């Protein structure tokens, strides 16, 4: 299923923008659907948007499940980098940070 | 009490000015303050936002602020700092009228403006990016994605951490240096104030160093994860090769690249800055990314 982001938000900059997208895609992934999110018409995103729209999914699904069910299309280099970097940190580096804090 | 502005007003000279106005415990020194502009010879874009921010802070503390200008009829030199301030829209904002008949927004600047969180995105598209595209003679604005992300990160930071939802913005293009300066300031509680509530830091400089590291978050919102300022550094330093200066409470931070290494310098000032100033200096030759589509892969 393809969801065009600009049908639902006019920008991808705030937590609120992200929450709207999260509320669209989470029920679809719950039902086992594959979701393709189209960024057509969007040229920039922020970390707040990515956190609220996508990183929040890690509270409900394994990363491997998210990767198998969620894809992004009509993106640019900057958007791809921010999404990949955020997921990498939250799935690999945050644990190291928390372990270091615990010690 | 009458306060003379520094002869050169920028982020470095602001501390002596602030110490004339604000006690160390962050209280205004008088209920009435007259700002005398006669000594002002030069003011940087950051100086304009700082001055605007301090006045906003004083007004918030119910201080009456007066402006004492030099004799305008004797100012012929259009390079004078007062005409520069007038061209920025500063006096129009506070005195409700421009001071010189031929005052106008210079093509190398955008007007000084208080931008609310709600309106920042339209200001970003319609004012900042439109001005920059015109200055750099670029027709397709979709390649300013990195810059737009940076400004978004700064405004999200103001909204989530300062206790305010407004930032004062001023920007200037220096064509000869291939550089733009964008200064954004808020008069909120300051980044160190928020960071030190959650993390054990020995001073405000250390708190600022922590604030720019990915993963350190005050969790002002459940979904916040401490990535905004790190993302800002990623574009400015990593992609653009520019510089970032942050002044907040008593902390000062300067970030740039040397070769392939990020250089982060922090310091503590004697004087308290009421809020946060973020100054970014961007190279105009690397500010624009070709807006080509790229397939996403995990």
């Amino acid at each position: 299923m393809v969801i065009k982001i600009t049908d639902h938000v006019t920008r991808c900059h705030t937590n609120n923008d992200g929450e709207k997208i999260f509320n669209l895609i989470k029920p679809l992934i719950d039902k086992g659907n594959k979701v393709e999110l189209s960024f057509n018409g969007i040229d920039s995103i922020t970390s707040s948007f990515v956190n609220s729209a996508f990183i929040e999914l890690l509270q409900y699904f394994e990363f491997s499940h998210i990767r198998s069910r969620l894809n992004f299309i009509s993106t640019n280099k900057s958007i791809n980098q921010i999404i990949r970097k955020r997921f990498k940190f939250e799935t690999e580096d945050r644990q190291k940070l928390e372990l270091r804090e615990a010690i | 009490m009458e306060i003379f502005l520094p002869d050169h007003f920028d982020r470095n000279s602001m501390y002596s000015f602030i110490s004339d106005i604000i006690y160390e415990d962050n209280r205004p020194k008088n209920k009435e303050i007259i700002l005398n502009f006669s000594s002002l010879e030069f003011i940087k874009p950051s100086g304009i936002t700082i001055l605007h921010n301090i006045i906003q802070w004083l007004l918030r503390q119910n201080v009456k602020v007066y402006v004492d200008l030099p004799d305008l009829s004797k100012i012929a030199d259009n390079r004078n700092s007062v005409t520069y301030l007038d061209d920025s829209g500063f006096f129009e904002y506070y005195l409700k009228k421009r001071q010189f008949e031929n005052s106008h927004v210079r093509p190398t600047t955008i007007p000084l403006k208080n931008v609310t969180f709600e309106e920042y995105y339209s200001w970003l598209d319609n004012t900042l990016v439109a001005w920059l595209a015109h200055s750099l003679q670029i027709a397709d604005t979709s390649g300013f994605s990195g810059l737009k992300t940076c400004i978004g990160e700064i405004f999200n930071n103001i909204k989530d951490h300062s206790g305010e939802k407004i930032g004062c913005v001023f920007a200037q293009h220096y064509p000869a240096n291939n550089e733009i300066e964008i200064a954004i300031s808020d008069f909120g509680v300051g980044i160190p104030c928020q960071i030190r509530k959650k993390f054990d830091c020995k001073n405000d400089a250390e708190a600022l160093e922590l604030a720019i590291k990915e993963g350190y978050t005050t969790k002002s919102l459940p979904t916040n994860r401490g990535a905004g300022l790190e993302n800002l550094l990623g574009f400015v330093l990593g992609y653009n090769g520019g510089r970032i200066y942050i002044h907040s409470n008593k902390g000062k931070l300067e970030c740039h690249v040397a070769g392939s290494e990020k250089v982060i310098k922090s310091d503590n000032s004697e004087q308290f800055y009421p809020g946060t100033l973020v100054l970014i200096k961007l190279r105009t030759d690397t500010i624009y990314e070709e807006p080509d589509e790229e397939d996403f892969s995990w």
Side-chain angles (χ1 to χ4, degrees):
Chain A
M1 175 180 291
V2 176
I3 294 177
K4 191 178 176 194
I5 284 184
T6 51
D7 286 342
H8 305 279
V9 293
T10 56
R11 60 183 185 180
C12 297
H13 267 228
T14 68
N15 291 107
N16 282 346
D17 301 331
E19 281 168 22
K20 286 176 188 168
I21 301 302
F22 173 83
N23 290 332
L24 278 173
I25 59 179
K26 199 240 173 200
L28 294 170
I29 297 174
D30 269 336
K31 290 175 186 167
N33 291 305
K34 285 194 173 185
V35 179
E36 282 198 316
L37 269 180
S38 168
F39 280 86
N40 189 18
I42 297 289
D43 56 19
S44 66
I45 62 173
T46 67
S47 56
S48 295
F49 171 80
V50 175
N51 290 340
S52 294
F54 312 131
I55 299 299
E56 193 65 6
L57 293 169
L58 290 167
Q59 303 290 327
Y60 303 92
F61 309 109
E62 293 291 329
F63 181 42
S64 57
H65 188 69
I66 294 170
R67 287 199 309 189
S68 70
R69 288 289 177 272
L70 184 60
N71 191 32
F72 307 102
I73 58 173
S74 298
T75 59
N76 61 32
K77 191 176 170 184
S78 171
I79 291 172
N80 291 346
Q81 275 181 347
I82 294 172
I83 294 172
R84 272 198 298 260
K85 191 166 180 299
R86 284 277 57 242
F87 269 104
K88 180 181 180 302
F89 183 85
E90 296 300 335
T91 56
E92 297 175 20
D93 300 335
R94 183 174 290 283
Q95 197 180 12
K96 290 178 204 163
L97 186 72
E98 283 168 0
L99 280 172
R100 194 160 63 228
E101 281 182 334
I103 292 166
Chain B
M1 69 187 288
E2 185 170 22
I3 305 294
F4 285 79
L5 268 62
D7 52 2
H8 283 60
F9 199 150
D10 62 13
R11 60 186 179 81
N12 294 313
S13 63
M14 71 172 176
Y15 290 110
S16 62
F17 170 70
I18 294 171
S19 67
D20 288 342
I21 293 175
I22 302 173
Y23 286 116
E24 275 198 27
D25 62 0
N26 205 20
R27 287 180 300 116
K29 287 191 172 179
N30 206 297
K31 287 192 175 302
E32 289 192 352
I33 289 178
I34 303 162
L35 296 175
N36 190 315
F37 285 70
S38 62
S39 53
L40 183 68
E41 294 173 9
F42 184 79
I43 185 163
K44 298 271 282 181
S46 59
I48 291 185
T49 56
I50 292 161
L51 182 58
H52 183 61
N53 198 57
I54 299 293
I55 294 173
Q56 294 287 303
W57 183 85
L58 288 169
L59 295 173
R60 179 65 65 90
Q61 311 299 317
N62 294 317
V63 174
K64 274 195 169 291
V65 181
Y66 299 91
V67 169
D68 188 358
L69 289 170
D71 184 349
L72 299 180
S73 64
K74 291 179 182 166
I75 296 176
D77 187 347
N78 67 1
R79 289 171 297 176
N80 188 284
S81 56
V82 177
T83 62
Y84 179 65
L85 270 167
D86 204 24
D87 289 345
S88 78
F90 179 86
F91 295 119
E92 186 176 34
Y93 185 89
Y94 285 107
L95 304 177
K96 309 303 174 205
K97 64 170 187 173
R98 291 183 179 262
Q99 301 301 301
F100 297 96
E101 276 184 16
N102 60 352
S103 171
H104 63 284
V105 176
R106 300 180 186 191
T108 52
T109 68
I110 55 168
L112 176 70
K113 185 168 170 57
N114 275 343
V115 180
T116 63
F117 181 76
E118 286 72 22
E119 69 182 346
Y120 92 81
Y121 192 80
S122 61
W123 168 85
L124 177 56
D125 255 348
N126 300 328
T127 302
L128 183 67
V129 168
W131 163 74
L132 197 54
H134 184 261
S135 299
L136 302 178
Q137 299 181 312
I138 292 169
D140 181 0
T141 59
S142 59
F144 289 108
S145 54
L147 172 71
K148 290 175 74 170
T149 294
C150 286
I151 303 298
E153 298 294 5
I154 293 171
F155 270 91
N156 279 325
N157 195 67
I158 291 173
K159 194 255 299 176
D160 292 343
H161 305 300
S162 79
E164 297 291 335
K165 289 188 176 179
I166 196 161
C168 162
V169 188
F170 189 64
Q172 178 152 1
H173 179 209
Y174 298 92
N177 299 342
N178 293 321
E179 188 176 80
I180 61 162
E181 282 189 25
I182 304 170
I184 302 178
S185 189
D186 69 74
F187 50 95
V189 297
I191 296 170
C193 174
Q194 292 290 60
I195 288 282
R196 294 179 76 172
K197 281 180 188 169
K198 176 145 188 195
F199 299 101
D200 188 20
C201 303
K202 64 176 186 282
N203 54 43
D204 286 358
E206 192 175 291
L208 281 184
E209 283 201 35
L210 209 55
I212 60 168
K213 285 184 182 166
E214 191 167 21
Y216 287 91
T217 175
T218 57
K219 279 278 177 192
S220 53
L221 288 173
T223 51
N224 280 355
R225 290 173 175 272
L229 293 178
E230 201 274 342
N231 201 26
L232 172 68
L233 262 69
F235 175 75
V236 176
L237 274 57
Y239 181 81
N240 180 263
R243 289 173 176 262
I244 301 176
Y245 304 86
I246 301 175
H247 294 246
S248 191
N249 302 156
K250 289 189 172 182
K252 298 193 283 186
L253 200 68
E254 179 182 336
C255 314
H256 65 275
V257 281
S260 58
E261 293 294 314
K262 285 181 186 174
V263 179
I264 313 285
K265 290 182 189 169
S266 67
D267 197 6
N268 282 289
S269 66
E270 291 295 312
Q271 186 58 43
F272 187 93
Y273 184 68
T276 300
L277 167 74
V278 179
L279 172 67
I280 51 178
K281 293 186 177 184
L282 295 163
R283 290 170 47 173
T284 52
D285 59 339
T286 53
I287 200 170
Y288 189 79
E289 300 169 273
E290 285 305 324
D292 299 334
E293 268 193 27
E294 182 190 82
D295 289 338
F296 180 85
S297 64
W298 287 102

